[in-house]
Amino acid sequence: MIKIMSGSVFLFNPDNDMALATFSPYYKSPAGIVKMASDLELLPLWIAEDGDFVKVNDAALVAEFTAGADVSALGVNVGITDRFLDKPYSPWGWNPALAATLRGNGVGAENLPSDEWLSRYRALSGRNHYAGLLEQLRYIQQTCGLSQVCDSLSQVVDFMHRHEQVVLKTPWSGSGRGLMKLSLAGLTSSAEGWILRTLRAQGCIMAEPLYNKVCDFAMEFRSEGGAVSFVGYSLFETDSHGNYKGNLLVSDAAIEERICSFVSADTLRMTREVLLNYFSDNVADIYSGYFGVDMMVCRDADGGYKLHPLVEVNLRMNMGVVSRLFYNRFVDSASKGTYCVEYYRTDGEALSFHRDMAERHPLQVIGGKIQKGYLSLTPVSEETRYQIYVAVEEL
């Protein structure tokens, strides 16, 4: 088991889920994901601890960013390196391609996962692994959710005959990727081709009914020292395609109050307890680090509300954890805000937005806590396409 410890090297590799799907040391990321990794490489700065390091490629741009008054006011004290240090690593997620890259750059075997561990981790990271856990959670009052593992096109079609609209999901894919919303009327030859390619490449496909979603949120956890603990909630937004857009920066109590306006506190508590017990028994001895369980509140046919307690498990670091930790560490309890992941289509667009926001909403920090204002969590240049920033206001 790879453990997170003081002096770890944090590394942002957003291609992890796609690399797990391929499960090859020779996996190469698409150009767009390479650009995302480059633009957002400093993101782990906000979750690392004193004595840790963040691995970056553009040391000059990062040095200028971290020396800025806004970052300095928050008291961040994390090392930055553009070299591959022979230390324990804490990446966004583990996969054979990352392990091969680190090995090829001088990182010793004692700081890398074994092939056997990677195989076990991949199995635990697949959506298909948790269909049985969802069945357990459905015994909790005021919950819903169905997920079927399909091994053939005929099984998918049979599932579609029983449900008006469905969502098909590949076992391994990035946030919002590897999904297809479908009805029998839309089962074209192109859709069938996508299903068959997924079955050949990944061995199965997940079929789920399309639910009437009211809101998205997640329970975030940490596995450490053979035990799993609840870290907090994240309340997030997605676009119409299921792509992650950002999180609200508010307290756990505020998120729980919102969820409990739809479903009972007992439903939420029992769900958390079942998950803690399951992960303690099945994950704690294998995986060490943060992870999250995406959930949603759904409107049922009678106009009431139910909790879908397991949309998917992200057995890796995720944006929800980052936003939760950032709020807890750096945002004043009398303030709230948004944590946004933004994409820009042209050169100069991000830099123009950044300068405008910094001028109109200057950051105000008291005692190492943000009271209000705008802060980019990642460096911004003329060529930036991806940015993560926070915008905070007083309650």
Side-chain angles (χ1 to χ4, degrees):
M1 179 168 63
I2 301 298
K3 297 181 179 179
I4 298 176
M5 57 188 70
S6 178
S8 293
V9 181
F10 282 70
L11 185 150
F12 180 62
N13 56 315
D15 63 349
N16 183 69
D17 296 336
M18 292 177 287
L20 276 180
T22 304
F23 207 62
S24 165
Y26 307 108
Y27 170 80
K28 299 296 182 184
S29 298
I33 302 299
V34 172
K35 179 59 175 171
M36 176 189 287
S38 174
D39 283 350
L40 305 181
E41 64 180 1
L42 194 59
L43 181 62
L45 177 77
W46 305 102
I47 56 174
E49 305 279 358
D50 290 358
D52 290 330
F53 298 85
V54 178
K55 168 67 176 69
V56 301
N57 293 315
D58 194 338
L61 180 62
V62 165
E64 180 181 352
F65 176 84
T66 54
D70 288 345
V71 176
S72 299
L74 293 172
V76 178
N77 185 27
V78 175
I80 306 296
T81 179
D82 56 6
R83 297 182 297 113
F84 287 95
L85 304 178
D86 189 13
K87 290 178 174 289
Y89 275 74
S90 180
W92 200 253
W94 281 107
N95 60 77
L98 174 61
T101 296
L102 296 178
R103 188 180 301 110
N105 282 277
V107 178
E110 67 278 7
N111 290 322
L112 295 174
S114 66
D115 291 344
E116 178 187 1
W117 184 91
L118 284 168
S119 294
R120 297 179 71 188
Y121 173 65
R122 181 181 190 256
L124 284 174
S125 298
R127 290 184 172 111
N128 54 315
H129 185 82
Y130 297 99
L133 175 56
L134 179 56
E135 287 294 321
Q136 295 180 40
L137 291 163
R138 287 185 63 192
Y139 286 102
I140 299 172
Q141 187 177 7
Q142 210 179 354
T143 61
C144 65
L146 175 65
S147 184
Q148 179 175 315
V149 182
C150 298
D151 301 319
S152 65
L153 177 60
S154 62
Q155 283 187 313
V156 174
V157 173
D158 180 64
F159 186 89
M160 294 176 67
H161 275 289
R162 289 181 277 117
H163 301 278
E164 186 175 342
Q165 288 186 304
V166 304
V167 180
L168 303 180
K169 301 179 179 180
T170 61
W172 295 275
S173 64
S175 176
R177 299 177 177 87
L179 309 181
M180 178 180 286
K181 296 178 182 178
L182 204 57
S183 64
L184 276 175
L187 188 58
T188 62
S189 58
S190 175
E192 286 189 0
W194 181 81
I195 294 168
L196 291 170
R197 287 192 298 274
T198 298
L199 291 171
R200 284 195 299 270
Q202 300 196 24
C204 64
I205 198 166
M206 306 303 298
E208 305 173 4
L210 180 63
Y211 292 96
N212 186 3
K213 180 176 66 176
V214 175
C215 69
D216 288 298
F217 73 104
M219 290 186 184
E220 310 294 353
F221 300 90
R222 185 173 189 179
S223 176
E224 185 177 27
V228 174
S229 59
F230 176 65
V231 173
Y233 296 101
S234 64
L235 188 63
F236 61 97
E237 296 180 347
T238 59
D239 63 19
S240 59
H241 302 289
N243 297 308
Y244 170 85
K245 296 297 293 181
N247 274 79
L248 292 182
L249 294 174
V250 293
S251 68
D252 277 328
I255 294 176
E256 190 165 274
E257 181 179 1
R258 177 170 177 180
I259 302 306
C260 290
S261 68
F262 300 108
V263 299
S264 74
D266 281 345
T267 295
L268 212 53
R269 175 186 54 78
M270 292 176 66
T271 297
R272 184 169 62 246
E273 289 177 359
V274 170
L275 290 173
L276 281 169
N277 289 334
Y278 177 89
F279 291 125
S280 295
D281 292 341
N282 297 280
V283 170
D285 65 333
I286 300 172
Y287 175 77
S288 180
Y290 290 100
F291 64 99
V293 180
D294 288 351
M295 304 179 183
M296 60 186 177
V297 174
C298 308
R299 189 186 296 272
D300 63 23
D302 299 325
Y305 299 97
K306 289 186 177 179
L307 171 68
H308 190 314
L310 197 158
V311 176
E312 66 183 42
V313 176
N314 293 306
L315 198 66
R316 52 168 170 73
M317 180 57 73
N318 60 77
M319 293 296 180
V321 170
V322 177
S323 66
R324 177 79 270 143
L325 296 181
F326 184 88
Y327 174 86
N328 292 347
R329 293 180 183 182
F330 299 112
V331 179
D332 190 272
S333 60
S335 301
K336 66 176 183 178
T338 53
Y339 170 101
C340 302
V341 179
E342 197 62 68
Y343 171 71
Y344 305 94
R345 296 185 179 278
T346 59
D347 284 354
E349 187 180 354
L351 192 57
S352 176
F353 172 84
H354 171 64
R355 288 170 173 169
D356 179 64
M357 288 291 287
E359 181 179 348
R360 291 195 293 117
H361 306 283
L363 194 69
Q364 295 188 20
V365 179
I366 300 178
K369 296 280 190 175
I370 299 174
Q371 309 294 306
K372 63 179 180 179
Y374 159 86
L375 173 67
S376 183
L377 303 189
T378 53
V380 181
S381 70
E382 182 73 18
E383 295 78 29
T384 295
R385 286 292 189 275
Y386 294 89
Q387 179 203 15
I388 296 179
Y389 68 89
V390 297
V392 177
E393 61 183 18
E394 294 173 310
L395 291 172

